[in-house]
Amino acid sequence: MIHGIINVYKEKGYTSHDVVAKMRGILHQKKIGHTGTLDPDAEGVLPVCLGAGTKLCDMLTDRDKEYRAVLLLGKATDTQDISGTVISSSEEIPDEDVIRQAVMSFTGEYDQIPPMYSALKVNGKKLYELAREGKTVERQARRVWIHQIVIEEIALPRVTMTVSCSKGTYIRTLCHDIGEKLGCGGCMESLLRTKAGVFCLEESVRLSQLQELARKGNIEEAVTPVDEMFVQYPRCHTTEKADRLLYNGNALEIQQFDVRDRQDIPEKIRVYDSKGKFCGIYMYHADRKKYLPVKMFLEG
């Protein structure tokens, strides 16, 4: 079984679940999960976790994202993107200065109402299922953070922009909200995710490339090992006698680490067994004078 993360370039027409299904076929492995849905029409970075790496899914979903989006002004749709049914249109589009001010006003925190066409659940039912039934329900606004917006080009009625934002931000809703603020309506024409946490577009691989790597037996070239997601924490090894304690996720005392690792051990560490196999993240608890597991990544 392969353990780690693959930075996949999700192409248009695929759902995130489609990508996982394809990879199960390519890698002949069931334990695979993605780290955050991308709409079928969207493209770009989709980190996919394998084996022990699936324990990272929730952690990677929480990371900030970056997108390149094209906002089409003068048209609003029920899905908030170009694939939806047009619900209003206008030919009275403000000038560039007004557009720039409106776009940039969304930088910072803002309360965003999730779209009806989304996978969020209300009373156990997904919003898009209700939307397809012609129903609209009240949605609670969620606080999101737009860290930065860079307007790349304005070629009316289109505005191309790069958006850096927190998890849970809907870029098509941002486009819709900008259109609302301008009074002419707007929807998202295209979306490319350029970053998800530490994973960037330039290093992503398409499914066809993964297929070729698998055929040649070189799939590991595309895999980021699990422990590389925690390089901010120092590496510590247990002694051979303490390996069994580590494998069982027990608390560890400082003397159970290799003598070379015992100097100035910080609060949080990456823990490896005596043979160098990564096992988990541990944190020091002063009240117990021991390191306790935060998350274990052992398989089998």
Side-chain angles (χ1 to χ4, degrees), residues 100-111:
R100 286 182 186 278
Q101 287 176 19
V103 170
M104 299 311 293
S105 73
F106 283 88
T107 304
E109 294 181 318
Y110 98 96
D111 292 325

Side-chain angles (χ1 to χ4, degrees), residues 208-222:
S208 57
Q209 292 172 290
L210 286 178
Q211 183 92 55
E212 186 62 15
L213 285 171
R215 188 184 67 79
K216 293 179 178 177
N218 296 330
I219 200 69
E220 293 292 344
E221 290 180 15

Side-chain angles (χ1 to χ4, degrees), residues 70-95:
V70 176
L71 159 63
L72 177 64
L73 293 171
K75 189 179 287 187
T77 70
D78 57 352
T79 59
Q80 301 182 346
D81 62 19
I82 198 69
S83 67
T85 301
V86 176
I87 53 177
S88 69
S89 60
S90 173
E91 293 182 5
E92 296 181 17
I93 296 171
D95 62 37

Side-chain angles (χ1 to χ4, degrees), residues 40-226:
D41 286 342
E43 298 180 80
V45 173
L46 180 70
V48 177
C49 299
L50 318 169
T54 55
K55 295 177 183 179
L56 284 167
C57 283
D58 56 338
M59 300 170 75
L60 295 180
T61 303
D62 285 347
R63 303 289 173 91
D64 290 344
K65 314 285 195 306
E66 184 183 275
Y67 299 88
R68 187 173 299 124
V70 176
L71 159 63
L72 177 64
L73 293 171
K75 189 179 287 187
T77 70
D78 57 352
T79 59
Q80 301 182 346
D81 62 19
I82 198 69
S83 67
T85 301
V86 176
I87 53 177
S88 69
S89 60
S90 173
E91 293 182 5
E92 296 181 17
I93 296 171
D95 62 37
E96 286 194 18
D97 287 341
V98 175
I99 291 169
R100 286 182 186 278
Q101 287 176 19
V103 170
M104 299 311 293
S105 73
F106 283 88
T107 304
E109 294 181 318
Y110 98 96
D111 292 325
Q112 187 181 74
I113 298 173
M116 273 302 299
Y117 283 88
S118 64
L120 294 177
K121 289 184 178 180
V122 172
N123 298 325
K125 198 155 187 180
K126 290 177 180 176
L127 285 175
Y128 70 76
E129 292 173 342
L130 294 170
R132 286 171 183 167
E133 293 170 8
K135 297 174 183 175
T136 301
V137 297
E138 189 175 343
R139 285 97 67 205
Q140 196 73 31
R142 304 192 304 178
R143 179 63 54 92
V144 298
W145 286 265
I146 307 295
H147 304 306
Q148 184 181 41
I149 301 178
V150 177
I151 298 173
E152 307 287 354
E153 182 185 23
I154 296 180
L156 294 177
R158 292 170 178 80
V159 180
T160 302
M161 56 189 178
T162 297
V163 181
S164 174
C165 58
S166 66
K167 70 162 188 171
T169 304
Y170 286 90
I171 303 298
R172 53 195 162 98
T173 301
L174 173 65
C175 290
H176 170 85
D177 292 348
I178 292 169
E180 286 268 292
K181 184 160 190 170
L182 288 167
C184 60
C187 66
M188 187 182 75
E189 188 172 63
S190 67
L191 184 69
L192 176 68
R193 186 191 280 165
T194 53
K195 277 185 188 175
V198 298
F199 298 100
C200 60
L201 190 70
E202 294 75 19
E203 295 170 358
S204 61
V205 291
R206 294 174 184 263
L207 290 174
S208 57
Q209 292 172 290
L210 286 178
Q211 183 92 55
E212 186 62 15
L213 285 171
R215 188 184 67 79
K216 293 179 178 177
N218 296 330
I219 200 69
E220 293 292 344
E221 290 180 15
V223 179
T224 298
V226 175

